[in-house]
Structure formats: structure tokens, C-alpha cells
Amino acid sequence: MSAHAPTAEKGLNTALLCQESYDCSGNDEAVFECDECGTLQCQCCEKELHKQERLRNHERTRIRPGHIPYCDNCKGANGNIMHNNATGSRQRAAMRCQMCKTNLCVECQKRMHAGGNKRKHPITMYHGSKSQEEEEEGMDEETKRRRMAEKVASFLLVDETEEIQVMNEEDFIKKLDCKPDQHLKVVSIFGNTGDGKSHTLNHTFFYGHEVFKTSPAQESCTVGVWAAYDPVCKVVVIDTEGLLGATVNVSQRTRLLLKVLAISDLVIYRTHADRLHNDLFKFLGDASEAYLKHFTKELKATTARCGLDVPLSTLGPAVIIFHETVHTKLLGSDHPSEAPEKLIQDRFRKLSRFPEAFSSIHYKGTRTYNPPTDFSGLRRAVEYQLENNTTRSPRQPGVIFKALKALSDRFSGEIPDDQMAHSSFFPDEYFTCSTICLSCGCGCKNSMNHAKEGVPHEAKSRCRYSHQYDNRVYTCKACYERGMEVNVVPKTSASTDSPWMGLAKYAWSGYVIECPNCGVVYRSRQYWFGNQDPVDTVVRTEIEHVWPGTDGFLKDNNNAAQRLLDGMNFMAQSVSELSLGPTKAVTSWLTDQIAPAYWRPNSQILNCNKCGTSFKDNDTKHHCRACGEGFCDSCSSKTRPVPERGWGPAPVRVCDNCHDSRGIRLDVPESQTEEEGGTLIARKVGEAVQNTLGAVVTAIDIPLGLVKDAARPAYWVPDHEILHCHNCQKEFNIKLSKHHCRACGQGFCDECSNERRAVPSRGWDHPVRVCFNCNKKPGDL
């Protein structure tokens, strides 16, 4: 403040003038201060202004002697705060400029009267103009509480789609504006839309300040779940979306209400009906049943999973039914000897609803002859319940957030309309898994999203057999009689048989059923006739549910055809590869073992006997059937019968020299011919085998693709449906081959399925190709 500015007599409380000029000239003395309008108002302006529907519920304060108004310069034309102090609260005026006729705080006075002629404006100091700390020291307790309530603001906690709008625990504490170690309780409110839930919370906890938005419009002003922290009562106050309101996601909204109820310590059910409707009792009764059935177990699991120091109570919150009437008497007025709570319990029993989950249910009524509503009785009832810690104890805000997060993660997702049971406010479909058995149509009874914790589907009733899904399961009868339940499956061969031996036994004796404890207990063709069905002898049959996305049960595990194809692939590849370098010596040695005695051994043939060309590793040596010497292909490409050596009458390979001597009978001793007879037969067989194997290499590739689908096990995905690798999503083409995982049956590229592991449940007892994901699974596949 300028030192040259004249100062009027201190302690003089100058007349406060009307700042509205709505029904006056602006020179009338102010009688009211409207906090929501942000102005001082005379008697006439206050009356005319607040006749309007939209301004009717404004909070006004009557100006008393010594009243200090707000700084006029700290708010804009619409009452918006333009200049705040360090704490963010609105400033009270410290002085009044007699020339400008404005009320100013210290900072605004310095800024506006720092220069020019305004420095000489006469000002009047308001007596009692002190700092905020000094002001609070002189305040009574009620005024301090009102000041604290002025600073509170609400925030959106969960939207209408059940998505939490705070990022984490720290963000939740920051928006509440409380200390992390502060122990709090949670108070929430429920009721039909338009019954004044937000208005009730504002007057019960925040002295009428509009912490939660209210509106006279037809549309609901509260969508989702909003929260605020009451620093006076040390509670988290939660405002919810009203029942019976116009919304698209009715089912999700109703489920969201129960999540809020589960984390609350005290629930206020607000009703403005002249008589208590059945919907109130049905809502609370169904909420109690759903809480005990679905939320109790989850809250216990959350306590253990999150390692919370304060256990979440499995007993539900206390309930206060706040009933406001206008034309009718309050509940129990006609029966003074009976408590209202007794009458409420009778109503629950008549409707076959039992609110066993709630720790207590109380009735608090008020009859409003003339507005405004009296909330003092409700406020006292709330304070009394908050002081009671026998059932629900205060906990840190982090614990509250973790509980809400756990319930949101567990019970989330869309609710199919065709599965809705509309006879209840909280049907099981809101909280249980929506998966349906493909065989019998029965639903899963486990909680939503149970698969994330590795819990399998489970149904209430037994399933029925369906030929389409073949949902039978075999268990070993001998093990069952010993108190063990061991599943067995029909398969091609026993685990102790080698792959080729298993195929041979399968061709002779049929499929087997093998128990890990008892060994092979059944062969389908063990005898020539009279083979009994395994169900009548060695196994028990159980019918199990077929859940979407799971594999079948007794699918065809007789993979003999696919084993044969795998073997042919391996053989063709081996024959093709064995024609290369390192195996040439083996081939030559085998040829020498079955060659006639007059043939020169392969190891001694280094050059062609005619042209002298040196043989390399990949060059083929040919024996002349007449003379037995080694030649290259070009020098032994001619053929003729050689009956003297036993090659006839069909033409055989001979060298050029022996071919040119046609008609000249070779002089071969008879004893030598007889000796060569045995080896000659062996050689003929060897050549036939070589020709056959050579044909296999080229012939296998052609029809192999034609029979793959016929040989494919039932659980394999057909080749024509596999367009991309199931893991890396690479598109298959001529260069990128498809491979089936023997465990899950999906199609993979070689890189994503190069692991080898036995899959006993599918009949693969020896290591076979499996994908990365199946290889990571613990235990037997």
C-alpha cells in the first residue's frame, strides 16, 4: 500500500453496498452475500434473483455487523476466482477504496493503486483484517469446519463402463488430497435417479457446498462414480449414479454399484418416496446375496494377494435408509412401541429377501413441511456409525484403492443380454464367467476372469454326451478301485515301443490303452475274435463339459497314419542325403558284399578300365556284367544278355569291348558259375532295392500332400486353414513350410516349433515336435 494514500478512521465498518443492481440502483445497503453468485446483494435483489429456478438452491449468508466481504478484484464477471493466495483459497477484503467503491485485499490494492492518481484514493481498513492463520485462531470449531469444506473438490473415480479413472495408488491419494498414512472410512450413497443423492451428500458432509454436482435438468448429472475426501469426518465420500435412470449399460452400472458397496463402510440409501417401495428392499436383499456369494471370497483373496496389513472385512457395510416424506408420516409413527428397524426386517421377510451381509440396517426419516430439508438427523446418525469400529475399521487410502482395483479386475467385461436374469437386481451373470458348455449349454459357475489365475471352468450340473464333441473321458478301473483317478487315452502304441515297432504292433494288434501305473491294459485286436469293449472291462467312462477354446477328450489319438507319413518323410530325406559324400564308402562296401566273385572290388577301381578317367567322390562306378571290370557311365552304357554269367535273358549293362564281342561265348568254368549263383541272386535283389529307393525319393513328394489331410489327427488344424504362423504370424509360402505342434495341433513355422518333447496325452510317447508355448508348460503334456 502506498505511504501517500490517505487512510480513513480504522475500525469503521463502512456500509456494504449491493453489487448486483438487479432490482435497485446499486446504492442500497447489502444484506446478503451469495457465495455461488459471488456478490453482495440487497434485500430486493436477493429476493428477485433467487426466484429463478436455477438459482433457487444457492447458499446465501446474511451480513452481520463486522462482516468482511470478499475481494472484488479476485473474481471475474461470473464469480470465477482470478487471483488466489498460496493456499488456493479465495481472499477476504482487507480495505475498501472510497473512490473506486471496491473491496480489495492487500495484494490487489498494491497492484491497482501503485501508481497515478489512484495512489491518493482514500481507503478504509476493515477492522479484524488479519492473516488466514490469525483468522482461524479466532474462529469457533464450526466455522473452521466450514472453511475446510470450502476447499474440497470431487473427481471421477470410475466411469460408466467400469473403467477406473485414477492411474494408481499415488494418483488416488493425490486426488483425495489426504495423507497416505491417514486412516479413513468409506461412505457411499445409493438411490433412484432424481432423489437428491448428490444434494444429500453436499449438505451432510460439506455444509451445503456443491462438492458433488447437482442439476435441475431431466438428465442425470452424476454418471459413473465420483469421490471426495471429507477432512472433517476423515472419510472418503462416494456419489453413485442413480437407479432407474436412462443409460445404455444398465447391467454394468448395476454391477458397478455393488463394487462400490463392497468397499464401503457405511451405505446411505436415499429415497424421496412418500412410502417405502419394494424396489428398496429387493435391491438391498439382492445386493446382500450377491455380496456373500461373489465378493466375500474375492476380498479374502485380495487381502492375501496384496499382503494388506488391515484385513478387508468379509461382513458388509452398515446401511442407513434415509427416508424423506412430504405428505405422509414417517415409518413407525403409527406404531410407537415398535422400532422402525423391526418394521423394515418384517418387510424383508415378506419379500423373501434376507440382508444378512450388512452389519446393521438403520432407519432415519425426516418430514419436510417447508424446504429446505433438515439433514441434521442424518448427520448425527452418520457420525455415530463412523465412530463404531467393531465391524469395519478405518484403513489407509491405498488399501481402499487396492480393494476397488482387485474387484474391478475380477468382475469386468461385457454382460450378454441373452444370459440376463431380470428377476434380480444382481443376477449371477453379473459376476460369474459367461462361458457356456458347447455340449449341454450349462454356464460356468466360477467368477469372472478366473482363467487369469489358472482356475479351470467348472459347472453346477453334470454334462451330457454329445457325439459331435465326443466328450468322454476314460479312467483306469483298477486304479479307481485303489482310490486313484488316472485318465487314460486310446493311442497307437505303448510308451515302451519304438516308433516303427509300435506301428508294426498297431497293424497286427490294433490300438492300445496304457495306464501309467498298470501299463498296457487293453489292445483292440489282441485276439482273433471275441475282443471286448474296454468300457466293459478295464476303463470307466465319465462325461465332461466342453468349454469353448479347449481341446476334445477322446479325440482320435491313433496317429499311425501320421507316424507313417513322418517316417516316409524321414526315409526320403535320408535316402536323398545318403547319396552324398560321407556315405559313398558305406554304399561301396555294401555293394562289394553282394557282388559276384568275378567283379573287381569298388575299392580297387580308381580309373575307368577303358578311357582311364579318374573317379571322384560323386562319380558313379559301373561294373560290366560280362568281364566284371569297372567303367564310367559313357564306357558301359550298352546292354546285352550275358547267359554265361547268369544274366539273361534280359539285357544287362556291359562295357563297349564285351558288347562288340557279341556271339563269342565267354569261357567261364562251371564251378565258378555255380559259386556265383548265390551272390548273383543277392546282387539282383540289391539292385531292385536300390531302384526302389531311388523311386521312393521322387515318388514320395508327389502324393504326400494328397494324403496328409486323411492322415491328420483329429485335433490338428487343417492345412488349408493355416495361413500364418500361430506364434510369429509369418505368412506361409513355398519357402516357409507349415509344421503342426503335436500338443496343441496349431500350425507353426520351423523356428517357432523346433522343440522336441513327448506328448503322452496325444499318444506321442517319444519326443516329437512341439511349439514354444506348449514346451513351457510344466508337467506332462
Side-chain angles (χ1 to χ4, degrees), residues 482-589:
R482 292 196 296 267
M484 298 180 292
E485 192 167 345
V486 180
N487 289 348
V488 293
V489 293
K491 55 184 181 179
T492 301
S493 61
S495 59
T496 55
D497 295 334
S498 65
W500 286 104
M501 180 60 70
L503 282 177
K505 288 185 178 181
Y506 172 76
W508 181 260
S509 301
Y511 71 85
V512 302
I513 296 179
E514 184 179 19
C515 171
N517 300 324
C518 307
V520 176
V521 296
Y522 180 80
R523 285 188 180 272
S524 61
R525 295 195 301 272
Q526 186 173 4
Y527 309 105
W528 287 101
F529 62 90
N531 293 294
Q532 294 182 328
D533 191 274
V535 178
D536 300 330
T537 55
V538 295
V539 297
R540 295 176 62 255
T541 302
E542 292 185 4
I543 308 301
E544 294 200 356
H545 292 277
V546 184
W547 306 107
T550 59
D551 298 323
F553 300 93
L554 290 181
K555 294 283 188 185
D556 184 13
N557 289 318
N558 300 326
N559 44 33
Q562 185 61 40
R563 287 190 180 196
L564 183 60
L565 284 183
D566 290 346
M568 293 175 67
N569 272 324
F570 177 76
M571 182 178 66
Q573 183 180 1
S574 300
V575 170
S576 179
E577 291 176 352
L578 286 175
S579 62
L580 300 177
T583 57
K584 267 292 184 181
V586 177
T587 305
S588 299
W589 179 82

